[in-house]
Amino acid sequence: MSPRRNRQHGGAKPIDRPAGDHYGRMGAPPGGGWDTTEEWRGEDWVVRPVGGGGAAKHYRCPGCDQEIPPGVPHVVAWPQHGDVEDRRHWHKACWNARDRRSARLQRSRNAPRY
């Protein structure tokens, strides 16, 4: 029996894109995903998925006000014309349900704002 051959047989080839055009000012995404633009509250938001390997710190989700521990996949969203300080880390489910959540979060007195 001959050894297995690991060759590609045609198909679509990946498109080479310059890093500055696609990733913007933040460089390559830590989770290996692609940035998308979504509209929310009349503003365009850049949404970047972060894989479990790219999540190295604790974050607080603005959708549910719960902690996102290291190693948990989530999304990072910020206004398209915003600054680096405007980035927020959301659970994927919270980001998808952002229109169904109320605008007022109930926080405990000692919970950090962001």
Side-chain angles (χ1 to χ4, degrees):
M1 181 183 285
S2 60
R4 181 176 176 204
R5 296 178 191 204
N6 292 325
R7 279 190 281 170
Q8 291 182 346
H9 297 284
K13 296 185 179 181
I15 300 171
D16 292 331
R17 296 182 188 189
D21 288 348
H22 182 72
Y23 298 118
R25 62 184 181 272
M26 294 179 60
W34 300 100
D35 293 353
T36 60
T37 303
E38 299 181 24
E39 186 181 352
W40 183 44
R41 295 184 179 170
E43 191 173 8
D44 287 335
W45 288 68
V46 179
V47 181
R48 175 178 294 167
V50 177
K57 294 178 13 182
H58 289 270
Y59 299 103
R60 185 154 305 269
C61 175
C64 65
D65 200 37
Q66 299 296 313
E67 192 174 86
I68 303 173
V72 174
H74 59 281
V75 297
V76 179
W78 66 93
Q80 188 172 22
H81 300 292
D83 202 358
V84 174
E85 291 87 32
D86 296 331
R87 290 184 294 182
R88 296 291 176 255
H89 295 254
W90 295 69
H91 293 106
K92 289 180 184 180
C94 294
W95 176 255
N96 292 335
R98 65 193 179 275
D99 290 328
R100 295 188 303 266
R101 296 186 180 273
S102 67
R104 278 187 65 138
L105 293 174
Q106 298 295 321
R107 290 186 175 88
S108 65
R109 290 180 183 226
N110 59 354
R113 280 228 163 251
Y114 293 111

